[in-house]
Amino acid sequence: MEKIYRPQEVADQLKIKKATVYELIKRGELKSSKVGKQIRISQEQLDEYLTRTSPAGQDSGLTAALPPVMDIPRFHADQASRQVDYLLHSNGLIISSQESRVVELLRSLLTRRVNSLPLLHSYMNDYNSLYSLYYGKTHMALTCLCYQQFEERISQISHFLPGTEAAVIHICTLKTGFYVQKGNPKKIKNVTDLCRPDIVFLNREKGNGLRMSLDRLLAEKKTDSPFNPDFRDESLSHMSSANAVASGLCDISMGDLSHLTAYPQLDFIPFNDASMDLVIVKSSLEEPAFSAILETINSREFKDSLLHFNGYETMHTGDILFTTP
C-alpha cells in the first residue's frame, strides 16, 4: 500500500516548517488530497514535487541556490492576464497579491460573515495585480507601495488604472528596508552603496513595489559606479530575500521588517514606509460581498491581528480614498 503522509511528516522529511508545507499546497506546487477535513500527501505526490524541484531541473545562479520552497513562480504582464482566467469560472472573489499572510487572515475572518463569498488568491506582484484588475481578470488587488507622502500612493495606483475609478482601502502601513548580516560587516549605509563592486545585491523582481521604488530612487542618484538593474538573479518574496542574506548567498536584499523575526542573524536598514492597500473598482462597493469585506477590514479582530506582525501600523486601517479616472 502506498505511503500516506500528514503535513507535519512531510515537513519533517523536507526539514521545513509545517506552515511551509501548507503554503506549497496552496500554491499548487505540492499536490495533496483531502480525507474528510484532513490534508494528506501520498508518496507519489511527494516524489513528484521532489522531482520537479531537484537540482538537475533548476537553473544555475543565485536563485537556484535558494531552497525550493522559497521559489515562487515568476509572472510577466501578458501571462498575468491569462493566469487567473480559470478562476473566473469559480464561485468566489479573486484577489491578486504578493502578500499571502494578510489574504489568509482576511479569508479566515470572512467565513464568519453571511454575505461573504470564497476568497481565491492569485499570487502576483504589485504591477501585475493592478494590471489584472485593470483588464477585469481579478476582482481585487492587494498592493504594497512605498511612498514619501501618504497620499502619494493614490497617484501611483491611478497610474496603473487609467480611466478607472477605484476605491483604495487602506490595510496598514509597514516598514521596508534592506536585510544585511548581523553587525552590517560591509558597512552599507545607503542605496548608493549598492553600486559598490564589493557588494552582492539581490534585487526584487520587476513589478514588485519595493523594486519600483528603488529603481526610481537610483535613477535620481548620481554615483561614480553605475547601477545595472538588469541582472539575472532576483528575489521573489520577502522570505527568500532574508534567506539569501542569512545563507551568505548575497550581502544585501530587500523586504519588510516583520520577516526579520525569523532571522536573528540579520540586521535591518530602513528604506521607506509602505502602504498596503486593497484596490477595488468603485462600482463593486455596492455588492453585498464587498460590503462583507469592508466590515471585516474595519473589525477590531482584523486590526488586532495585523498588529502581531512587527512594524505593522493600523492607525488608518479601513480608510477609503478614490482614484480619479
Side-chain angles (χ1 to χ4, degrees), residues 109-121:
L109 295 179
L110 273 172
T111 59
R112 307 176 190 178
R113 300 194 178 272
V114 177
N115 293 328
S116 67
L117 288 174
L119 206 58
L120 309 173
H121 185 193

Side-chain angles (χ1 to χ4, degrees), residues 278-292:
L278 186 65
V279 186
I280 303 172
V281 175
K282 184 180 179 181
S283 58
S284 298
L285 292 179
E286 302 174 3
E287 300 294 333
F290 288 98
S291 297

Side-chain angles (χ1 to χ4, degrees), residues 47-260:
D47 289 342
E48 180 187 349
Y49 168 75
L50 293 174
T51 299
R52 284 189 287 105
T53 58
S54 63
Q58 294 180 353
D59 295 330
S60 60
L62 178 58
T63 306
L66 300 180
V69 67
M70 302 304 178
D71 295 336
I72 298 171
R74 297 177 185 269
F75 294 98
H76 299 291
D78 60 333
Q79 294 173 338
S81 62
R82 300 194 300 265
Q83 177 76 16
V84 296
D85 280 352
Y86 74 98
L87 290 176
L88 293 175
H89 301 289
S90 303
N91 183 26
L93 296 176
I94 306 167
I95 181 171
S96 57
S97 175
Q98 206 163 22
E99 170 57 59
S100 57
R101 296 178 303 179
V102 173
V103 172
E104 285 304 312
L105 174 60
L106 188 59
R107 175 187 282 158
S108 64
L109 295 179
L110 273 172
T111 59
R112 307 176 190 178
R113 300 194 178 272
V114 177
N115 293 328
S116 67
L117 288 174
L119 206 58
L120 309 173
H121 185 193
S122 182
Y123 193 96
M124 297 185 194
N125 60 41
D126 301 293
Y127 179 94
N128 284 332
S129 292
L130 291 171
Y131 178 94
S132 295
L133 180 65
Y134 176 68
Y135 277 97
K137 301 296 183 179
T138 61
H139 301 103
M140 296 171 284
L142 182 65
T143 62
C144 190
L145 301 175
C146 295
Y147 61 88
Q148 296 296 329
Q149 300 294 327
F150 192 61
E151 295 76 12
E152 181 186 336
R153 73 198 204 282
I154 303 301
S155 62
Q156 290 186 59
I157 292 171
S158 297
H159 176 75
F160 291 103
L161 301 171
T164 304
E165 191 170 11
V168 180
I169 305 155
H170 184 64
I171 302 299
C172 62
T173 59
L174 57 148
K175 306 295 183 182
T176 71
F178 298 96
Y179 304 130
V180 295
Q181 290 284 347
K182 200 74 174 180
N184 191 10
K186 291 294 184 77
K187 307 301 180 186
I188 299 169
K189 297 179 180 179
N190 50 53
V191 295
T192 57
D193 285 334
L194 300 178
C195 305
R196 284 164 40 189
D198 63 316
I199 298 297
V200 179
F201 173 52
L202 177 62
N203 207 345
R204 298 302 296 267
E205 82 284 7
K206 292 179 179 178
N208 171 266
L210 287 176
R211 169 70 178 266
M212 291 189 287
S213 181
L214 179 63
D215 284 348
R216 286 194 297 267
L217 183 59
L218 286 169
E220 298 169 359
K221 296 288 184 180
K222 301 294 185 180
T223 60
D224 296 330
S225 301
F227 177 76
N228 178 17
D230 296 321
F231 49 84
R232 180 177 58 185
D233 295 313
E234 298 174 343
S235 167
L236 305 174
S237 70
H238 299 308
M239 186 179 293
S240 60
S241 292
N243 180 72
V245 179
S247 303
L249 299 174
C250 65
D251 299 314
I252 182 170
S253 192
M254 300 185 77
D256 87 62
L257 178 63
S258 67
H259 288 266
L260 205 66

